[in-house]
């Protein structure tokens, strides 16, 4: 039984067989969707909630689109995409997790492994563990950390810092038994924040709590793929303020991430609070091109999600599930996760008429579709 659960971690989403008529039906609806339906940025709506295992400190999306969560040193996996129920996957070997839970859980792009930050453990020794998603075999590496994201299937980018000096971003080679955890970005004059990569391999990170000028709480800056990889391969570490491109200043820049459309989501608190921000993909691209930081007061460029509007002091985190299209919003320490998904376009009567004709004429054929793997290569710097 357990083998059946864990084997899904390496599996691609199942093949779906559709009648040829249904394929044309999808095409008809898709043509109308481009006209009648807003993009994902404008059309996310609250579609429901699910409950994480009690005590879950962090969660991420496994290779098949199901949810993986960590409670103390125990890993749980959702019983299927969208099931909302979880089963024990196993316990991390030789884990020393802090009493308040793991700092992060990040599944690699190809779904074959995951990284966990121990949050300092019982004795304040910060370690990052990297484990095989099927067997849970792996190792712990000494590495300061706050948050992390995979740059590709081997390298893990980590935000780290304390309240004694500027924070940094490091790059951990998880394939090396004695890895060099190289600093690639320095001079973040504040606490650590989130970290994310866009579809072109550009790195985004922020200032989680400013120590004073020139840092600003919630300031997110971006670093091109070429610049941060040069720093990682023997070059000088990049300076957050001098070398980063200003993207947005909102909340506390933690966590950071992108949906499949390229919209940037931002969580945390700060001068603003009680929502998750979503910055429109085109606005992010303009800022990356040097147009200046995104105007957070413009609702056409930035929108907020506050699924618990009865509570004025939520401190939200967020994650995205590419398999389901859901933007998942969670209040700090809560087990409830609020799912938001882009609203579907509704076909018009005339489109239904066309669809009915198609169904009558072409009810016999079938064609198979499959999702492509979501791995990405550090060499190309492009997610696929």
């Amino acid at each position: 039984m357990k083998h059946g659960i864990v084997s899904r971690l390496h599996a691609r989403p199942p093949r779906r067989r559709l009648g040829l008529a249904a394929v044309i039906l999808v095409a008809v609806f898709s043509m109308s969707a481009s006209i009648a339906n807003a993009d994902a940025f404008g059309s996310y709506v609250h579609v429901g909630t699910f409950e994480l295992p009690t005590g879950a400190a962090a969660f991420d999306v496994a290779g098949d689109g199901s949810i993986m969560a960590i409670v103390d040193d125990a890993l749980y996996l959702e019983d299927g995409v969208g099931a909302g129920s979880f089963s024990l996957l196993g316990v991390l070997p030789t884990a020393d997790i802090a009493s308040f839970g793991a700092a992060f859980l990040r599944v690699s792009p190809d779904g074959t492994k995951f990284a966990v930050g121990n949050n300092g453990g019982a004795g304040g020794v910060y370690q990052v563990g990297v484990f095989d998603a099927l067997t849970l075999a792996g190792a712990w590496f000494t590495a300061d950390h706050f948050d992390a994201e995979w740059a590709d299937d081997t390298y893990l980018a980590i935000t780290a810092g304390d309240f004694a000096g500027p924070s940094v971003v490091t790059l951990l080679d998880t394939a090396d038994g004695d890895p060099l955890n190289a600093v690639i970005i320095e001079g973040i004059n504040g606490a650590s924040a989130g970290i994310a990569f866009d579809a072109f391999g550009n790195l985004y990170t922020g200032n989680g709590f400013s120590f004073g000028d020139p840092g600003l709480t919630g300031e997110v800056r971006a670093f091109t793929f070429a610049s941060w990889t040069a720093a990682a391969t023997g070059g000088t570490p990049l300076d957050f303020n001098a070398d980063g491109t200003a993207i947005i200043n909102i909340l506390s820049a933690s966590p950071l991430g992108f949906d499949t459309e390229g919209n940037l989501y931002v969580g945390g608190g700060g001068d603003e609070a009680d929502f998750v921000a979503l910055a429109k993909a085109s606005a992010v691209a303009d800022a990356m091109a040097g147009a200046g930081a995104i105007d957070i007061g413009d609702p056409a460029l930035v929108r907020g999600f506050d699924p618990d509007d009865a509570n004025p002091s939520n401190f939200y985190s967020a994650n995205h599930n590419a398999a389901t299209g859901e933007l998942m919003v969670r209040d700090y320490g809560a087990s409830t996760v609020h799912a938001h998904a882009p609203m579907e376009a509704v076909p018009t009567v005339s489109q239904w008429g066309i669809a009915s004709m198609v169904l009558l004429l072409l009810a016999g054929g079938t064609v198979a579709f499959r999702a492509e793997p979501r791995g990405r290569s550090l060499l190309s710097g492009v997610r696929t």
Side-chain angles (χ1 to χ4, degrees):
M1 182 69 177
K2 181 179 177 182
H3 178 74
I5 294 171
V6 298
S7 64
R8 292 190 292 105
L9 287 167
H10 284 195
R12 295 177 181 174
R15 295 168 68 91
R16 298 173 180 171
R17 300 199 66 84
L18 301 175
L20 181 58
V23 174
I24 298 177
L25 187 67
V26 170
V28 171
F29 292 170
S30 297
M31 286 187 291
S32 69
S34 63
I35 300 172
N37 190 31
D39 56 17
F41 170 82
S43 64
Y44 276 111
V45 294
H46 190 275
V47 295
T49 63
F50 64 89
E51 297 294 318
L52 295 172
T54 301
F59 75 96
D60 201 10
V61 182
D64 69 341
S66 57
I67 303 300
M68 179 186 285
I70 183 168
V71 180
D72 299 325
D73 59 356
L75 269 294
Y76 290 82
L77 184 66
E78 194 177 16
D79 295 322
V81 180
S85 59
F86 292 79
S87 296
L88 179 65
L89 184 61
V91 176
L92 297 179
T94 64
D96 175 22
I97 307 292
S99 61
F100 41 91
F104 60 81
L105 169 67
R106 299 295 183 200
V107 179
S108 65
D110 63 6
T112 63
K113 54 184 170 289
F114 60 90
V116 172
N118 80 335
N119 235 340
V125 178
Y126 281 79
Q127 295 178 311
V128 171
V130 178
F131 303 95
D132 184 275
L134 198 61
T135 66
L136 299 190
W140 292 94
F141 304 105
T142 300
D144 289 338
H145 60 266
F146 174 76
D147 200 357
E149 182 59 282
W150 292 91
D152 65 6
D153 296 315
T154 299
Y155 291 92
L156 185 73
I158 304 169
T159 61
D162 54 35
F163 286 95
S167 296
V168 299
V169 175
T170 64
L171 193 69
L172 179 69
D173 180 355
T174 67
D176 192 331
D178 184 21
L180 173 65
N181 191 21
V183 175
I184 57 174
I185 299 171
E186 60 186 10
I188 305 172
N189 194 35
S192 300
I195 186 166
F197 293 89
D198 68 15
F200 306 101
N202 302 314
L203 185 158
Y204 296 70
T205 193
N207 187 325
F209 185 84
S210 174
F211 295 165
D213 291 338
L216 297 171
T217 298
E219 182 177 17
V220 177
R221 290 181 173 267
F223 302 82
T224 66
F225 173 78
S227 66
W228 73 258
T229 52
T233 53
T236 302
L238 301 170
D239 181 82
F240 180 75
N241 290 290
D243 299 318
T245 299
I247 301 298
I248 194 170
N249 184 350
I250 197 164
L251 297 165
S252 57
S254 178
L256 300 173
F258 289 91
D259 67 10
T260 50
E261 194 176 74
N263 302 305
L264 173 68
Y265 58 83
V266 186
D271 293 335
E272 308 84 24
D274 196 39
F275 64 95
V276 164
L278 187 72
K280 191 175 179 66
S282 59
V284 175
D286 288 345
M288 188 67 192
I294 299 168
D295 178 3
I296 65 172
D298 187 343
L301 303 180
V302 181
R303 61 176 298 197
F305 299 87
D306 179 18
D308 181 17
D309 55 9
N311 184 347
S313 56
N314 300 105
F315 194 91
Y316 288 120
S317 64
N319 207 327
H320 182 262
N321 190 334
T324 64
E326 293 172 338
L327 179 65
M328 300 171 290
V329 176
R330 178 194 186 193
D331 193 17
Y332 179 79
S335 60
T336 300
V337 177
H338 295 264
H340 302 75
M343 187 168 50
E344 298 278 338
V346 179
T348 65
V349 174
S350 61
Q351 290 158 356
W352 278 115
I354 295 171
S356 298
M357 292 173 59
V358 170
L359 290 170
L360 288 171
L361 294 172
L362 300 170
T366 61
V367 64
F369 286 83
R370 66 178 175 83
E372 294 299 323
R374 69 183 183 106
R376 60 186 186 269
S377 169
L378 180 62
L379 297 177
S380 66
V382 178
R383 295 186 183 187
T384 58

